[in-house]
Every structure is written in C-alpha cells, then in structure tokens.
Amino acid sequence: MREEITEEQFAIETLERYSGCEVAKFQSNLLLTNFPRYVEYFAKSRSVSVIEGSMFKVAHCPAEDISILDFKIGSPAAALVVDLCSFLPIKASLLLGMCGGLRRRYQIGDYLVPVASIRGEGTSDFYFPSDVPALSNFLMQKAVTDVLELQKAVYHIGITYTTNMRFWEFNEEFKNLLKATKAQAIEMECATLFSASYKRKFTLGALLLVSDLPLANFGVKTKKSSESVYQRYMADHVEKGIDIIKRSREMQEQRIKGAYHRNIGMGVKSHSR
C-alpha cells in the first residue's frame, strides 16, 4: 500500500527530478532564466558545475549563496518553477529574461524593469481572478533600480505584455491588440511569475534585456541577431543579476519594506528523504 505524500514532499521530489540534484544544494538566493547559456556562463565564471535534470538546468555557488536555474520557455514552466521553489528557504529571486521592446526609442541592449505585466498568457488565471493585477515585488524592483542607477545603465521602467503566443510577429491582428495595450515590451513569463510568486509569498522581481524590436520591420529576432545579443550582453546581464541579488539581501537585513516576512532571515536548510 502506497503512503500518502504531502504537497511539500511532492514539490521537493519533483524539483529534484527536474533539476537533477538534491534540494539541499540550492542556495538561499535564486536567479531564474530561460537561457541555458546563462547557467553555463554563471557556472564557468564561478568555477562550479552545471547540473541538468529532466527539465531544468542549474548551477549553485555557495561562495555567493546564489543558485541559477533555467526553466525553459513559457508561462506553464514559469508557474511550475515558482510553485516548486516556493517550498525552499529562498530569500530572494530574480528573473533574468529577454523581451521585445515596443517603443521606437528603445535600443537592443537596453534594460527594462517591469513593474507589472498584462496577463495575456492564461496561466495566471489559475492563481487569481482576471481583475487581480500581476505586480512585481517592490523590494526586488527597488534593488534592480538601485543597481542600474549605480552602474549608470540605460534602462526603462514599464509594463510588459505576457503572451503564450510565440510566433506572432507576422500576425497583424495580434500586433494591433498589442499596440492598443500601450505595453512597453512583450515577453512570455512575467505575468505568471508575478502572480504565482504573490500567491506563494515568494519574493521575486525581474530584470529584462531588450533583445529585439519586433514591431519594426528590421527588428525581429533572427538566428544571427540572437547570437549577437548573447555575445554582447549576456555577461553583463548575469553580473547585474548577481549584484541585484546582493543588494536585495542588504535591503532585507535592513528590514526595508517589500519582501515577504517569511523570506526575511531564512537560512539554507536541508530536506531529508
């Protein structure tokens, strides 16, 4: 006869299967990304190993108390990673993602700080009714802007449109809808991450890199332009993410408002089987 399993145990075992490592290896701060190359850069630059499970690719750096996890693409995967990681003693989490810039003045390589996201992806409906906004965590976004200001980075603050439609660049009806929303950028995960993290009381923010300008005829992301973005901006994006995590820890230690109380003062703990 099989024993019943708790939600926490189920989440831990699922995370271990998908990440290929024991949850005890996860540090108390987490970078989330859609890009395996970000994990590989992090691991190489910190001289740590890359671990790959059946879905996620991860690396852990105890010296900086930071883990990085590639959860692949799309809102269902974004929801899953928050649901699973919310059972770990993680103090702060930050998405390092890319977005399509929707303003003429934006340039590839600019950063975008999303304060909220339009819930066009559908997955967030499983967390809240449609009239509940998807907002990023205030403390994390304050940490983001603190670091960007200190480093004199070019960045914009605005709202993203989160969609589950990946191949839309030649869909005129969708593009007209997108323009009508007045969103500053388009991506595929933020609304889900913000909604799920609010539901789970999981302190999470985002730093997006403008990787393409999809409303311009010359601006859609191609194989060549995508490789150029990695070569020119990946290292800076990851390093800024690490600096932001460290700044968020300072803010939590100072009891600056914004983080969920359950995340403040958490240490890494092991989960026994």
Side-chain angles (χ1 to χ4, degrees), residues 49-91:
S49 299
V50 174
I51 306 168
E52 189 164 7
S54 60
M55 182 174 180
F56 303 142
K57 180 176 283 191
V58 299
H60 311 290
C61 180
E64 294 183 281
D65 194 17
I66 297 173
S67 294
I68 187 169
L69 184 153
D70 162 38
F71 63 89
K72 304 300 187 289
I73 296 174
S75 61
L80 176 64
V81 75
V82 172
D83 284 342
L84 299 182
C85 290
S86 66
F87 287 92
L88 302 184
I90 290 173
K91 297 177 183 178

Side-chain angles (χ1 to χ4, degrees), residues 101 164 178 208:
N164 244 358
L178 189 60
L208 303 181

Side-chain angles (χ1 to χ4, degrees), residues 23-65:
V23 294
K25 292 186 178 296
F26 278 82
Q27 303 301 298
S28 62
N29 300 277
L30 179 65
L31 293 172
L32 296 173
T33 186
N34 309 120
F35 313 111
R37 289 172 69 166
Y38 276 38
V39 178
E40 292 159 7
Y41 168 83
F42 177 90
K44 184 177 181 180
S45 63
R46 268 73 192 166
S47 299
V48 298
S49 299
V50 174
I51 306 168
E52 189 164 7
S54 60
M55 182 174 180
F56 303 142
K57 180 176 283 191
V58 299
H60 311 290
C61 180
E64 294 183 281
D65 194 17

Side-chain angles (χ1 to χ4, degrees), residues 25 87 90 129 207 234 240 260:
K25 292 186 178 296
F87 287 92
I90 290 173
L207 175 64
M234 175 177 65
K240 277 184 169 53
Y260 295 108

Side-chain angles (χ1 to χ4, degrees), residues 150-162:
L150 181 64
Q151 298 183 5
K152 295 180 169 46
V154 178
Y155 74 97
H156 314 281
I157 297 175
I159 296 172
T160 70
Y161 187 97
T162 305

Side-chain angles (χ1 to χ4, degrees), residues 135-162:
L135 303 175
S136 63
N137 177 265
F138 176 78
L139 180 138
M140 291 306 301
Q141 296 309 85
K142 179 65 167 60
V144 172
T145 55
D146 281 358
V147 169
L148 294 179
E149 286 288 337
L150 181 64
Q151 298 183 5
K152 295 180 169 46
V154 178
Y155 74 97
H156 314 281
I157 297 175
I159 296 172
T160 70
Y161 187 97
T162 305

